[in-house]
Amino acid sequence: MRTTTLRGRAALAVTALSLTVLLGACGTDDTTAVADTSDTSEASADSAAEATADQASSLSVEDPWVKTAESGMTAAFGTLVNTGDTDVTVVSATTEASAMTELHETVDADGSMSMQQVEGGFVVPAGGELVLEPGGNHLMMMDVVEPVEAGADVAFTLTLDDGSTLDFTASGRDFSGADEEYADGSDSDMGGMDMDDDMDMGAGEDSTEAP
Amino acid sequence: MSAADQTTGRGLGRRRLLRSGAVALAGAGAGWAGSAAARAADGAAPPAAADDVLTISPPDGAETVPYLGPHQAGVATPPQAHLVLLGLDLVDGTDTDDLRRLLRVVGDDAARLTQGEPALSDTEPELAPRPSRLTVTIGLGPRVVDELVPGDLTLAPLPSFSTDRFEEPWGQTDLALQLCADDPTTLAHARRMLLKDTASFATVRWVQTGFRSARGSQPDGTTMRNLMGQVDGTVNPAQADGDFADLVWADGPGAFAGGTVMVVRRIRSEMDTWDKVSRQGKELAVGRRLDTGAPLTGTAEHDEPDFDAVDDNGLKVIDAASHIARARSDDPAERFLRRGYNYQVHRDDGTDDAGLVFTVFCADAERQFVPVQRRLAQQDRLNEWITTIGSAVYAVPPGVASTDDAPGLALLEES
Ligand code: HEM
Ligand SMILES: [Cu+2]
């Protein structure tokens, strides 16, 4: 557990597996997407609705959850599902539980994983989905002001690039698997955040070692 | 036959193989499904397996037990091969809202895992898709019912019995999670996920693991054997019986309707002294034969025992102090579902500790279970070789109709 190499390897494995999960899930959801196309065309007949609610009406969040936190930073995860026939872009997220919330991606910089704000928002492909998960994309709660407790509901609002919004509630979960523990003061440079190179949260001694 | 086949061992094995092959062919066309259906049609009394023919259907890891329904699964569910029973204590200061959140989290992941889906924040999702009939059954201990559940539900701790010889740590806990599955890997994963869910709410006092024969090692529905070698579970309410529901499911109060009460007794079998008893003595102690499980007055497992029959010397064939004579009540209400598992663990003193995680489900423990346990404590030949080392009782809330709900939540809404 304390060997950086081992944990690093485990982290990579998780990322690879997540990809498999994503692909597998896409396969099943395609059917839903096809079945729902008629709904979408019906909606677009109503041009007034299109401007305000069209993108949001074809987007849903499945299995949303938030990693519990007393304060500081944490993140929310889930699967964004787009049943529409155009791509949907999430441009921002808000929750009362956090003073600031960002859309983050995790990137591999020279073998060490770090996260940063995603440029251009989260694009959810037409008839497809985007998985938010530890070690990958996530909704980053930068400053938790209302403690997130296990089993409690946390309300979020996503704003899409057409201005429409989508509300959802995520369930708090204790989680110590990957991601989301960040080095002290790492909220400094370039709006990006370096996290532990082994992507493991938990042990405080690791956090202090991180850049 | 080749030369190799003529060695006794190989030859025998080969013959057995051919015979079971013939059985499989007899059902050809329908294949495994056919043989499974044939067994299902036989209902409660599966064909006594002839000693040289074994029909084994491949265990199906994809098989699921419905999570939604009027009752929690894992009670009337035909017992799976493996048990993990978790005894949890709520942390100090837990209030009703905390309990609500705990039930939500556990219920939500139980709904997923039992249906072969990963837990919500599953770190090993690859371990989820073979649920192997996984069930998760949530029970609330007397302290929780007393202090955190509003409304009229009550749950008295069991009284003490003269044969109680309790050892740490097997006592009453605030909560019990009964996990059962045919696959121990599935169970290990579910156990880990659910303990992650409860980690911020509760501490683990004990874990009782148990087992029956592997799924597929004998036809489904075969009565289990305990580690004393006995056929154990012959006389037991079956779902097909008209009075099963009355015996097992509570009709209230309020939102507890459809719930049940789980009694857990950890009972050690004193195997070293049991070993010294003659076969006849062993059969006398229970009142049933070791080989078939038939009553000493009968020839087949499900023959009705004749408690009045006497032998040439005028002695009762089934001793009045035998386990089955003492365990059977004249009052038909004093019955319950036994759904126990064998346990075997190694002790620090270098010996094995084996016995039963003796689990009972009934609508009302005081009315149904306590009188029988009291009578057995007073007198039961088997008592010489069994020791009750743990005891607990839990209110098992009814099932839920939607995954938005969780077992027990409705009880907390009552005022
Ligand atoms: C290690 C402990 C025990 C062992 C090894 C054991 C074993 C057995 C065996 C072999 C039978 C006969 C087959 C059958 O009908 O299942 C039996 C029957 C039964 N046992 Fe036990 N038993 C144990 C503890 C208990 C306890 C603690 C209770 C209840 C308080 C109990 C209640 C019964 C009942 C109700 C029957 C059915 C009696 C009838 O024929 O109506 N047993 N047990
Ligand atoms: Cu982040």
Side-chain angles (χ1 to χ4, degrees):
Chain A
M1 278 296 282
R2 302 202 172 251
T3 316
T4 309
T5 339
L6 266 178
R7 293 160 82 185
R9 238 185 258 139
L12 284 175
V14 167
T15 316
L17 292 170
S18 317
L19 186 62
T20 325
V21 171
L22 172 62
L23 290 172
C26 272
T28 33
D29 265 270
D30 276 350
T31 9
T32 330
V34 172
D36 283 357
T37 322
S38 54
D39 290 355
T40 318
S41 46
E42 257 171 44
S44 53
D46 185 350
S47 56
E50 202 168 62
T52 54
D54 201 46
Q55 285 204 353
S57 66
S58 64
L59 192 69
S60 62
V61 186
E62 283 180 7
D63 296 339
W65 62 280
V66 198
K67 186 180 121 49
T68 55
E70 282 283 314
S71 60
M73 288 179 278
T74 190
F77 313 96
T79 303
L80 301 173
V81 180
N82 179 2
T83 55
D85 50 14
T86 53
D87 293 358
V88 167
T89 304
V90 178
V91 294
S92 67
T94 55
T95 171
E96 302 235 310
S98 173
M100 196 208 315
T101 303
E102 296 180 351
L103 310 182
H104 277 194
E105 63 181 352
T106 305
V107 294
D108 184 347
D110 300 327
S112 81
M113 306 300 287
S114 66
M115 60 177 192
Q116 61 194 24
Q117 282 202 63
V118 64
E119 278 192 36
F122 288 143
V123 179
V124 191
E129 55 186 44
L130 182 79
V131 176
L132 308 180
E133 63 191 340
N137 296 319
H138 52 275
L139 305 179
M140 187 76 199
M141 298 164 68
M142 304 295 287
D143 181 9
V144 172
V145 290
E146 288 170 17
V148 177
E149 298 183 299
D153 285 340
V154 181
F156 284 84
T157 301
L158 299 181
T159 302
L160 313 182
D161 65 352
D162 68 348
S164 65
T165 59
L166 176 70
D167 295 338
F168 68 94
T169 50
S171 181
R173 290 303 166 108
D174 291 330
F175 186 79
S176 56
D179 207 352
E180 316 333 322
E181 182 83 87
Y182 306 100
D184 286 335
S186 63
D187 52 333
S188 50
D189 52 333
M190 316 295 217
M193 313 189 63
D194 290 317
M195 39 189 255
D196 277 347
D197 61 349
D198 57 10
M199 286 178 60
D200 194 282
M201 53 180 333
E205 77 246 26
D206 290 311
S207 299
T208 55
E209 280 164 19
Chain B
M1 263 198 184
S2 74
D5 283 336
Q6 280 159 20
T7 69
T8 334
R10 291 286 296 272
L12 190 70
R14 183 71 187 274
R15 260 201 312 279
R16 279 170 163 258
L17 208 66
L18 284 173
R19 291 235 205 145
S20 46
V23 169
L25 279 175
W32 290 117
S35 69
R39 280 202 309 280
D42 274 7
D51 59 11
D52 57 348
V53 179
L54 260 175
T55 343
I56 300 175
S57 61
D60 187 352
E63 204 176 324
T64 56
V65 175
Y67 170 76
L68 300 177
H71 315 294
Q72 286 195 62
V75 179
T77 309
Q80 301 92 324
H82 297 272
L83 164 78
V84 169
L85 185 63
L86 304 169
L88 308 177
D89 288 326
L90 295 169
V91 298
D92 286 348
T94 299
D95 61 19
T96 302
D97 183 57
D98 297 326
L99 179 61
R100 191 178 286 122
R101 289 187 292 108
L102 180 158
L103 293 171
R104 279 225 183 93
V105 173
V106 169
D108 182 68
D109 276 339
R112 295 166 193 275
L113 290 165
T114 58
Q115 303 309 301
E117 303 282 334
L120 188 54
S121 55
D122 208 320
T123 39
E124 284 77 29
E126 294 70 27
L127 295 179
R130 319 280 316 153
S132 303
R133 299 200 301 139
L134 174 67
T135 56
V136 177
T137 316
I138 303 171
L140 312 175
R143 191 171 80 120
V144 173
V145 172
D146 218 38
E147 295 177 15
L148 298 179
V149 177
D152 298 331
L153 181 65
T154 55
L155 179 68
L158 294 180
S160 50
F161 302 96
S162 57
T163 45
D164 291 349
R165 300 286 181 275
F166 297 154
E167 295 178 6
E168 287 299 316
W170 312 114
Q172 182 70 55
T173 60
D174 287 338
L175 301 175
L177 296 182
Q178 181 198 242
L179 282 53
C180 300
D182 289 323
D183 182 337
T185 307
T186 301
L187 213 46
H189 176 61
R191 164 180 172 172
R192 180 154 185 268
M193 289 302 126
L194 294 172
L195 284 181
K196 283 186 181 194
D197 285 343
T198 59
S200 63
F201 299 99
T203 54
V204 181
R205 177 107 62 89
W206 43 249
V207 177
Q208 305 199 40
T209 58
F211 53 89
R212 292 166 169 243
S213 291
R215 182 94 190 275
S217 70
Q218 47 194 352
D220 281 357
T222 304
T223 310
M224 83 164 213
R225 277 189 191 269
N226 62 38
L227 297 176
M228 299 172 93
Q230 302 149 348
V231 176
D232 188 349
T234 302
V235 178
N236 212 9
Q239 252 190 306
D241 300 348
D243 54 3
F244 182 89
D246 288 342
L247 289 171
V248 174
W249 307 122
D251 54 11
F256 194 65
T260 183
V261 172
M262 174 167 70
V263 175
V264 181
R265 308 277 286 173
R266 189 172 178 89
I267 308 177
R268 174 181 299 147
S269 298
E270 304 296 348
M271 297 307 292
D272 291 344
T273 49
W274 182 247
D275 285 349
K276 298 195 166 71
V277 182
S278 69
R279 199 172 176 84
Q280 205 185 2
K282 289 177 176 177
E283 294 185 334
L284 197 72
V286 171
R288 288 181 175 272
R289 293 175 59 100
L290 283 164
D291 54 1
T292 54
L296 294 179
T297 53
T299 51
E301 186 196 342
H302 289 279
D303 285 351
E304 192 52 37
D306 178 355
F307 293 104
D308 299 323
V310 289
D311 64 15
D312 297 340
N313 301 321
L315 295 171
K316 285 264 175 76
V317 179
I318 298 175
D319 189 278
S322 68
H323 184 63
I324 65 166
R326 295 295 296 169
R328 182 165 304 192
S329 172
D330 291 336
D331 181 350
E334 292 179 358
R335 289 181 300 142
F336 39 80
L337 176 67
R338 289 178 288 141
R339 198 181 185 282
Y341 285 82
N342 296 313
Y343 79 81
Q344 184 180 43
V345 295
H346 196 66
R347 281 182 289 207
D348 288 345
D349 69 2
T351 63
D352 274 354
D353 175 8
L356 282 179
V357 182
F358 180 87
T359 311
V360 157
F361 292 96
C362 56
D364 181 344
E366 281 170 276
R367 173 82 180 89
Q368 298 167 250
F369 173 79
V370 170
V372 176
Q373 177 63 85
R374 190 169 281 140
R375 215 175 34 246
L376 292 178
Q378 276 159 8
Q379 189 186 38
D380 174 2
R381 279 189 177 273
L382 200 57
N383 284 346
E384 197 175 334
W385 302 283
I386 63 177
T387 310
T388 308
I389 59 171
S391 178
V393 61
Y394 303 92
V396 175
V400 292
S402 150
T403 52
D404 293 336
D405 196 358
L409 286 186
L411 290 174
L412 303 184
E413 303 314 321
E414 294 197 334
S415 54

